[in-house]
């Protein structure tokens, strides 16, 4: 849990299909904002559970958004998604790390710090970043669903 709570960045990134990923458009829903890369072994482990969660989640209450920071963008991400059968995730591309940044010296103003990969931020219904988890998680497990339900059921 984060204190103080900060608003989620309003930076838009390109979606895998070309349409922008805009977190401000997701207000009213909890957002699970995951940063990953195809070269990150823990990310490779985690992505199928995120995809399974996205397949069963109520999109009117929670959105799962996975932001790839691969330098080659879609050229690298598309084959990765096909190879691993990931079809349910909303994928954003952030090769220049404007929404989330691994760098400590060239961080874009308003970018979320990426202390490692994968890292997942929780954004509440009001558009505020309320917590984060570093490292791979089993997002479709009962414990993860109970964790997410806490945020979904908050008023």
């Amino acid at each position: 849990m984060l204190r103080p709570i900060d608003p989620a960045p309003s930076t838009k990134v390109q979606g895998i299909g070309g349409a922008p990923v805009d977190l401000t458009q997701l207000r009213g829903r909890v957002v699970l904002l995951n940063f990953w890369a195809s070269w990150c072994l823990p990310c490779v482990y985690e992505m199928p559970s995120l995809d399974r969660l996205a397949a069963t989640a109520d999109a009117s209450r929670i959105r799962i958004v996975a932001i790839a920071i691969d330098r080659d963008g879609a050229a690298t991400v598309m084959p990765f998604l096909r190879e691993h059968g990931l079809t349910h995730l909303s994928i954003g591309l952030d090769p220049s790390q404007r929404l989330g940044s691994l760098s400590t010296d060239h961080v874009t103003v308003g970018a979320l710090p990426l202390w490692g990969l994968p890292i997942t931020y929780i954004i509440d219904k009001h558009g505020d970043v309320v917590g984060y988890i570093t490292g791979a998680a089993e997002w479709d497990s009962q414990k993860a669903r109970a964790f997410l339900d806490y945020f979904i059921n908050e008023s």
Side-chain angles (χ1 to χ4, degrees), residues 44-126:
V44 174
Y45 171 80
E46 179 181 59
M47 292 300 284
S49 73
L50 270 176
D51 192 65
R52 290 188 299 269
L53 175 64
T56 60
D58 180 351
S60 68
R61 299 178 70 201
I62 185 168
R63 289 292 304 268
I64 294 82
V65 180
I67 305 293
I69 63 165
D70 291 87
R71 286 189 182 133
D72 293 331
T76 299
V77 174
M78 288 298 291
F80 178 90
L81 297 174
R82 280 193 297 274
E83 179 183 340
H84 294 279
L86 306 173
T87 59
H88 300 98
L89 292 167
S90 176
I91 302 288
L93 304 170
D94 192 16
S96 57
Q97 298 180 24
R98 295 175 328 136
L99 182 58
S101 179
L102 285 170
S103 175
T104 56
D105 51 334
H106 291 54
V107 177
T108 303
V109 173
L112 293 167
L114 306 180
W115 292 293
L117 291 177
I119 186 169
T120 304
Y121 283 91
I122 307 297
I123 302 170
D124 71 9
K125 297 176 208 177
H126 308 290

Side-chain angles (χ1 to χ4, degrees), residues 26-41:
L26 300 177
R27 293 231 171 97
R29 292 173 267 194
V30 170
V31 177
L32 189 89
L33 181 64
N34 177 270
F35 289 90
W36 67 284
S38 63
W39 46 262
C40 162
L41 190 55

Side-chain angles (χ1 to χ4, degrees), residues 2 17 21 23-24 38 42 45 54 60 83 92 101 113 121 127 138 140 142 150-151:
L2 291 173
V21 174
L23 298 177
T24 64
S38 63
Y45 171 80
S60 68
E83 179 183 340
S101 179
Y121 283 91
E138 282 291 328
D140 59 335
Q142 286 183 339
Y150 169 81
F151 296 102

